[in-house]
Amino acid sequence: MGGWTGAARRYAVRTLPPEKLLPDTQPAYMASWIYVFGVLTVSSLIVAVATGCVLALEGPGWWHASSVGKYVNSLHLWSVELFMFFMVIHLWGKFFMAAWRGRRAMTWMTGAVCFLASVGTAFTGYLVQQNFDSQWISGQAKDGLNAVGIGAWFNVLDFGQMLMWHIVLLPLVLGLLTAWHVLLVRRRGIVPPIDALAPEPDEQSAATAVQP
């Protein structure tokens, strides 16, 4: 009944009910500072993507010669620095909290893969700066990549190839992984501290279902 669109809507509502997707209350342990770094990571990523889009539209000549371009380039650089800093603290915090508890293994794995994709995105970003730093980094990386046999396929001296990796392929992967990770957090709930007596997501759903 309702065709494939109705089936898709029912699956989406069943998988991500509105009260989980946009909750209006949070557990008391969310007041801890360690839970802040996930939001800070996403916030800095949004700034990095926004400033990166402006840089991609204007081009290297703009961010090297224009004062406004240099300012936007600096915003992009420091938002990436903060993004990596917040992400590392977020990952370490969740590691020591055993954040894979309560059927949250996929949430943890998507976060870890996000970190790997971020490293690749940041690396290609340094390569496309078109300054002495990028020349030195690409020259050093070339030997290492050639040594493992992928230098011909992933040519760090090819500016066009690295630019496409940096502004298209890797950001697309990182964006999809981040969206998946956030949706999994909403679906499974925020992981409680190890010593917290909080019901697991399935128990919470069951308790909600029996309420009149």
Side-chain angles (χ1 to χ4, degrees):
M1 182 178 179
W4 69 270
T5 54
R9 183 183 68 249
R10 290 190 294 272
Y11 175 79
V13 173
R14 184 172 63 253
T15 303
L16 288 169
E19 62 271 12
K20 284 189 176 183
L21 189 61
L22 294 171
D24 54 3
T25 60
Q26 293 290 356
Y29 52 77
M30 282 287 293
S32 174
W33 63 270
I34 194 62
Y35 290 97
V36 175
F37 288 97
V39 177
L40 291 176
T41 302
V42 175
S43 301
S44 53
L45 176 62
I46 292 173
V47 176
V49 171
T51 53
C53 289
V54 177
L55 294 174
L57 289 172
E58 297 294 342
W62 181 69
W63 75 63
H64 282 307
S66 167
S67 58
V68 177
K70 292 178 181 179
Y71 174 72
V72 175
N73 191 34
S74 297
L75 283 179
H76 184 67
L77 170 65
W78 285 107
S79 62
V80 172
E81 298 282 354
L82 290 173
F83 169 72
M84 299 300 292
F85 176 73
F86 293 145
M87 176 180 275
V88 168
I89 296 179
H90 180 59
L91 280 173
W92 274 109
K94 297 308 175 183
F95 175 80
F96 286 112
M97 290 174 63
W100 46 85
R101 291 176 290 123
R103 300 178 63 190
R104 296 182 178 89
M106 186 58 69
T107 308
W108 166 257
M109 288 189 289
T110 53
V113 176
C114 276
F115 174 72
L116 297 178
S118 301
V119 171
T121 308
F123 172 65
T124 53
Y126 281 114
L127 295 177
V128 299
Q129 293 180 99
Q130 287 198 329
N131 55 21
F132 288 116
D133 283 342
S134 63
Q135 293 179 28
W136 187 86
I137 294 170
S138 60
Q140 297 298 312
K142 172 182 67 66
D143 296 332
L145 294 174
N146 287 341
V148 296
I150 63 173
W153 175 71
F154 191 80
N155 185 5
V156 293
L157 298 179
D158 187 336
F159 171 78
Q161 184 186 137
M162 293 301 102
L163 183 64
M164 290 299 100
W165 275 100
H166 182 67
I167 69 174
V168 178
L169 298 177
L170 290 173
L172 178 62
V173 172
L174 181 59
L176 292 175
L177 285 171
T178 302
W180 188 11
H181 179 74
V182 172
L183 290 176
L184 286 172
V185 171
R186 290 302 188 188
R187 181 180 182 184
R188 298 299 182 190
I190 303 295
V191 63
I194 293 177
D195 58 349
L197 298 176
E200 296 297 340
D202 292 341
E203 298 176 6
Q204 293 176 352
S205 300
T208 305
V210 298
Q211 291 179 356

